[in-house]
Amino acid sequence: MKQPEPRHTIRFTLTTVLLAGLAWAQTNPTPTSAVAAMTELFGDQVIARGKSFEIKRSQLDAALLSFKATMAARGQVIPPAANLQVERELLQQLIRIQMLVGRATPEDRAQGRANGEKRFAQVKERAGSEENLLRQLKSVGISPDQLRERLIEEAIAEAVIIREVKVQVTDEDVRKFYEENPAQFEQPEMVRVSHILLRTVDAATREPLAEEVRQAKRKQIEELLARARAGEDFAALARQYSEDPGSKDRGGEYTFPRGQMVPEFETAAFSLKPGEISDVVTSPFGYHILKLHERLPARRIPLAEVQDRVREYLTTQAIQKALPDYVRKIRAEETVEVLVEDLKPVELADLPVETNAPAPPRARR
């Protein structure tokens, strides 16, 4: 229901691509793993290597499948003529990650494992259930353990970059950015609400549920409304009955400004008084009841509340500026070879270093 908040950390493209494709995979299941089938038929050829690593065909195939899933999620298809160039770029990303992991210290590995496990837990939470996660990952050709290891590996690579590509962001740099970008730190009026959702569409297929099921849910939401207005703990009711995986464990709670929720939900939330419980609200997701906890007036967020995010953003920008030269240096030290002629980059020196460009820090919404 809610738009995701942008992250301001260095993130390599491969796992970002995979995670972006999971929403598409949820409604486009694949009965068998294309990567496993190709590996069984043709073996798992080593396609690139350096002093400290090898990359096999199955790794590139998995990255390509994830990339295509992401393109499908955006309504795009890779033209056949572009397939080879996409494979070349993805292979270069795999090489970069392996080179960095090969330079990791024990401290880098410990930090990377901790960060990777945290990211995996976030993926599981967003999936809503273990069953949903398994179905989504199967559709893009990997297992939960493989995703966990991929997240950990990329987090280790990030730790190496932060340690080796040394940059310094001063307090004055942070203050200057804050003062020169006031619009980034304006927080609009927000509301903090809890809600209970009973879905009238299938969570996986987005198809409407049968009429008799919708009628039963309407009756149930009316009963829950009566219980909430009679004084039962709203958060406890949400944890027990709500079918919104993104909020039920928090007692149904969201804090948001205008423009982030579906219109029916937003209109109801902003029309309530603190402590008031709405009538039944119907949205494309199903039936809701909402309780408003508080209104948060518009304000400019003080520097003290955002200085860590500003420092992280400026550090990321500085690292990304220095990253291409650093990658060229370690590539020469690794004496990297691409063993499949078609996968060799046309002009290696011109290839970009692919990380997610960080969005400027904004007021949290």
Side-chain angles (χ1 to χ4, degrees):
M1 284 181 53
K2 191 177 181 182
Q3 295 177 356
E5 192 172 312
R7 295 187 61 84
H8 307 306
T9 52
I10 304 165
R11 294 299 301 274
F12 285 91
T13 306
L14 293 174
T15 301
T16 305
V17 162
L18 171 66
L19 298 180
L22 291 183
W24 172 85
Q26 186 173 6
T27 54
N28 293 269
T30 303
T32 59
S33 168
V35 174
M38 291 293 286
T39 300
E40 185 177 345
L41 284 172
F42 302 110
D44 206 359
Q45 176 187 11
V46 175
I47 57 176
R49 66 187 173 205
K51 288 181 180 177
S52 63
F53 68 89
E54 288 185 341
I55 295 173
K56 294 186 175 181
R57 181 75 224 187
S58 62
Q59 293 171 270
L60 179 57
D61 288 341
L64 181 62
L65 189 63
S66 298
F67 183 80
K68 288 182 175 180
T70 301
M71 293 301 98
R74 297 172 180 170
Q76 300 173 348
V77 177
I78 302 172
N83 273 334
L84 184 57
Q85 184 59 27
V86 169
E87 286 191 321
R88 289 171 179 160
E89 292 289 343
L90 291 173
L91 178 57
Q92 293 307 311
Q93 293 173 37
L94 286 167
I95 288 170
R96 291 171 197 131
I97 292 169
Q98 292 304 315
M99 289 191 301
L100 290 163
V101 170
R103 302 171 78 86
T105 64
E107 292 77 13
D108 294 333
R109 292 181 181 277
Q111 182 64 50
R113 179 162 290 278
N115 288 342
E117 292 286 3
K118 186 182 301 183
R119 291 170 190 168
F120 182 70
Q122 291 168 347
V123 172
K124 287 175 65 177
E125 181 180 355
R126 286 197 297 270
S129 70
E130 194 79 24
E131 181 182 355
N132 282 346
L133 180 64
L134 286 170
R135 181 171 59 251
Q136 293 169 28
L137 291 178
K138 183 178 180 181
S139 298
V140 291
I142 68 169
S143 68
D145 285 343
Q146 287 171 320
L147 174 60
R148 177 190 281 110
E149 289 308 310
R150 206 179 283 188
L151 289 165
I152 290 170
E153 195 171 63
E154 293 192 2
I156 291 170
E158 291 174 21
V160 173
I161 289 174
I162 291 169
R163 175 176 54 79
E164 293 205 354
V165 183
K166 295 179 175 62
V167 298
Q168 184 176 10
V169 175
T170 66
D171 290 344
E172 177 59 24
D173 295 330
V174 172
R175 184 193 62 77
K176 182 179 178 183
F177 183 90
Y178 178 81
E179 291 180 352
E180 291 180 354
N181 297 273
Q184 305 285 359
F185 305 102
E186 295 296 334
Q187 179 175 287
E189 179 190 19
M190 303 174 75
V191 289
R192 183 169 69 88
V193 302
S194 292
H195 85 128
I196 298 169
L197 166 68
L198 297 184
R199 287 185 174 273
T200 57
V201 295
D202 186 277
T205 66
R206 308 295 173 90
E207 292 296 321
L209 299 177
E211 176 63 26
E212 60 270 23
V213 175
R214 297 201 303 273
Q215 289 178 0
K217 292 204 171 192
R218 178 72 194 205
K219 181 179 178 182
Q220 184 184 10
I221 200 74
E222 295 280 6
E223 292 170 352
L224 290 171
L225 175 60
R227 291 170 64 180
R229 285 180 169 170
E232 285 197 44
D233 186 311
F234 196 96
L237 290 173
R239 281 189 285 268
Q240 182 174 357
Y241 295 105
S242 182
E243 296 172 349
D244 175 15
S247 70
K248 69 174 297 175
D249 290 342
R250 301 192 305 273
E253 187 170 314
Y254 283 117
T255 301
F256 59 93
R258 297 182 189 275
Q260 280 199 359
M261 297 295 193
V262 293
E264 301 87 349
F265 190 95
E266 177 185 300
T267 299
F270 278 88
S271 68
L272 294 172
K273 298 175 183 177
E276 188 178 5
I277 297 172
S278 73
D279 294 329
V280 174
V281 175
T282 303
S283 83
F285 293 95
Y287 301 126
H288 311 253
I289 52 176
L290 295 78
K291 180 176 182 178
L292 178 66
H293 299 295
E294 61 176 332
R295 288 179 177 271
L296 304 171
R299 64 172 184 143
R300 187 182 185 193
I301 301 180
L303 175 59
E305 291 184 29
V306 294
Q307 61 187 0
D308 289 345
R309 286 193 289 134
V310 173
R311 189 182 305 277
E312 183 180 11
Y313 167 73
L314 294 176
T315 300
T316 299
Q317 284 213 317
I319 289 175
Q320 289 187 328
K321 185 176 180 180
L323 203 50
D325 288 342
Y326 172 71
V327 169
R328 290 187 184 95
K329 170 180 172 288
I330 64 174
R331 188 182 184 100
E333 293 172 0
E334 279 279 353
T335 60
V336 173
E337 296 179 273
V338 176
L339 304 176
V340 177
E341 192 65 31
D342 285 349
L343 294 175
K344 291 181 178 180
V346 176
E347 185 55 62
L348 184 59
D350 292 335
L351 285 175
V353 177
E354 296 287 350
T355 59
N356 270 3
R362 292 182 178 270
R364 289 196 185 276
R365 295 184 174 187

